[in-house]
Amino acid sequence: MGSTFFGLNVALSGVVTNQRALNTVSHNLTNATTPGYTRQRVETAAQIPYTHPALNNAVAPGQVGTGVVATAHLRLRDQFVDLNYRSTSSDVGQWEARADAMQTLDTVIDEPGDTGITALMSKYWSAWHALSLQPDSAAAREAVRSAGQTLAAGFNDMSRQLTQAQTDADTRLGLGVQRVNEIAGQLNNLNQQIGMVVAVGQEPNDLRDQRDLLLDELATLTNMGVSATGPNGKVTVTIGNQILVDPSTDTVNALAIGAGGAATVGGNATTVTSGRLRGLVDLRDTVIGGPNGYTAQLDTMAAALVASVNARHAAGYGLDGTTGNAFFQGTTAATIALDGAVAASTDKIAASSTAGGLPGGSDAAIGMAQLQYVVQTIGTATTTLDGFYGQFVAKIGVDADQASRLHQVQSGVLDAAQARRDGVSGVNMDEEMTDMVRFQKSYNAAARMITTLDQMLETIITGMGVVGR
């Protein structure tokens, strides 16, 4: 038979367990807007029952319940939802990095516009056409020289803008790698703290939330993997096939990305396939740099312009009777400039195709003005100078539109993944308020039971044996 005070212990378990549940509800409500917080819940179960012994039964005549016990303090988290969220977040980071840079480049190019290279080339050809009408005009010759200088400056400026964008991407890449290594160090510290708490049989739910928040940020930067393979709740974090955070030794292997985009973790080669870092590497080494990047295409255009103009100009005669003069110098968009002789004197500008035609000959000027319509091989394309630049501008526009569109699409997928995660892990105020009322009533009922038992014990202690005296 149970003790006289047996019922007090049963009721007390209800008070203690419901108090713990109420504390958890309070914790949920106060952290409803905390970034990365995961809703928590107390799991309960009946305590081990008390068995009544009996002389006529080898086992027992029955069992009596001993109350309730809190068996676990859970975080409501779905690993599959987390995996989906982080994978999508990595894709968003990759296209966001490219979209931001492409938007800047699209603005810098200013096409169509009054200051773009298309407008500058049009003014350059028009200046040669005007010179063909007045080949001995000092004003027309000055207009040609000025248009040439402005066109060269336009190429110089665009090359500088592309180089600056490439440098910015490289700087942001370095900062991103630095942040990855900082996060890895913080994850390693949290791993150790979580391991110590789990080792003594407790649940470090809030520490796990901090760790998951860092893992979410890491996913936006690179293709990371996480697995609960470490001891005492620790996790292993990887990039590609290399371990970034090793829980077995509590060490961090630093990420590094070289000039050619080659990535290593702890000195071992790995691959960065997504995330902001992937977007920045592509932007630096492929989109802007590289053999087929924007800078190379612009240089090809500048080289073709210099070669075509100089070939025709060298065949003509300047107003001073000299021939074989170049109009431009340089071989790239960064180095293109007026030839020194032309810059020093407009008399070096060749408008006549023969010496005998001076000063009124204009065949060379007409041929130069018509150069804009000449189809030639430029790089791998067969087109005019204006046509090649039009293709170049169109490619940048298409790339910018693609990056922006894919960023929007992936952002929409990420929002859906976030909604699914919030449905599992987010704090629902209405649900918490309902739980609060439910646990409050259970707490009050258990407390009332203690009061009832106390009154019963008072009757036994103070009243028994008094009747009949």
Side-chain angles (χ1 to χ4, degrees), residues 193-246:
Q193 294 178 48
I194 289 170
M196 288 187 291
V197 175
V198 172
V200 296
Q202 297 182 6
E203 292 295 333
N205 290 331
D206 293 330
L207 290 175
R208 286 184 171 132
D209 282 346
Q210 294 178 36
R211 186 173 66 185
D212 281 333
L213 191 61
L214 288 173
L215 289 171
D216 289 346
E217 182 182 354
L218 185 61
T220 66
L221 293 169
T222 186
N223 53 303
M224 50 79 68
V226 58
S227 56
T229 57
N232 294 330
K234 298 179 181 181
V235 297
T236 300
V237 183
T238 60
I239 294 179
N241 59 349
Q242 298 297 331
I243 296 177
L244 180 70
V245 179
D246 190 346

Side-chain angles (χ1 to χ4, degrees), residues 161-459:
Q161 294 286 357
L162 290 175
T163 300
Q164 184 61 49
Q166 192 174 21
T167 301
D168 290 344
D170 185 66
T171 300
R172 291 165 62 193
L173 179 62
L175 293 174
V177 170
Q178 180 181 341
R179 181 55 185 158
V180 167
N181 292 326
E182 289 175 354
I183 291 174
Q186 295 173 28
L187 288 172
N188 188 50
N189 290 334
L190 284 170
N191 257 353
Q192 295 176 53
Q193 294 178 48
I194 289 170
M196 288 187 291
V197 175
V198 172
V200 296
Q202 297 182 6
E203 292 295 333
N205 290 331
D206 293 330
L207 290 175
R208 286 184 171 132
D209 282 346
Q210 294 178 36
R211 186 173 66 185
D212 281 333
L213 191 61
L214 288 173
L215 289 171
D216 289 346
E217 182 182 354
L218 185 61
T220 66
L221 293 169
T222 186
N223 53 303
M224 50 79 68
V226 58
S227 56
T229 57
N232 294 330
K234 298 179 181 181
V235 297
T236 300
V237 183
T238 60
I239 294 179
N241 59 349
Q242 298 297 331
I243 296 177
L244 180 70
V245 179
D246 190 346
S248 62
T249 57
D250 290 329
T251 57
V252 173
N253 299 311
L255 171 69
I257 298 180
T264 60
V265 174
N268 298 312
T270 189
T271 54
V272 175
T273 58
S274 60
R276 181 175 289 272
L277 299 186
R278 179 72 262 170
L280 292 172
V281 167
D282 289 343
L283 190 67
R284 183 193 67 181
D285 298 338
T286 305
V287 178
I288 299 176
N292 297 313
Y294 298 152
T295 299
Q297 292 294 311
L298 189 65
D299 286 345
T300 299
M301 165 73 178
L305 176 68
V306 170
S308 299
V309 169
N310 283 351
R312 293 207 173 194
H313 192 265
Y317 288 81
L319 199 59
D320 59 0
T322 60
T323 188
N325 296 319
F327 188 87
F328 287 119
Q329 63 182 14
T331 56
T332 65
T335 59
I336 184 175
L338 277 186
D339 183 77
V342 173
S345 173
T346 58
D347 288 347
K348 296 295 183 181
I349 296 175
S352 176
S353 60
T354 64
L358 295 174
S362 61
D363 291 347
I366 293 173
M368 192 70 76
Q370 293 177 342
L371 183 60
Q372 64 176 315
Y373 306 112
V374 175
V375 176
Q376 55 184 298
T377 300
I378 306 175
T380 59
T382 302
T383 181
T384 63
L385 290 167
D386 288 348
F388 183 86
Y389 185 72
Q391 293 176 7
F392 172 75
V393 172
K395 176 173 173 53
I396 293 179
V398 169
D399 289 348
D401 179 70
Q402 180 193 46
S404 177
R405 180 164 43 82
L406 288 175
H407 177 232
Q408 291 178 358
V409 170
Q410 293 299 328
S411 294
V413 176
L414 183 63
D415 289 341
Q418 180 66 59
R420 287 195 297 272
R421 174 189 265 188
D422 289 342
V424 176
S425 303
V427 176
N428 185 303
M429 302 293 284
D430 292 336
E431 184 177 342
E432 296 301 322
M433 294 297 289
T434 300
D435 284 344
M436 181 179 68
V437 173
R438 180 162 61 93
F439 295 136
Q440 179 189 15
K441 290 184 177 296
S442 296
Y443 179 91
N444 291 340
R448 181 61 181 168
M449 189 65 202
I450 291 177
T451 301
T452 301
L453 291 170
D454 180 62
Q455 292 173 351
M456 291 170 61
L457 290 171
E458 183 180 2
T459 299

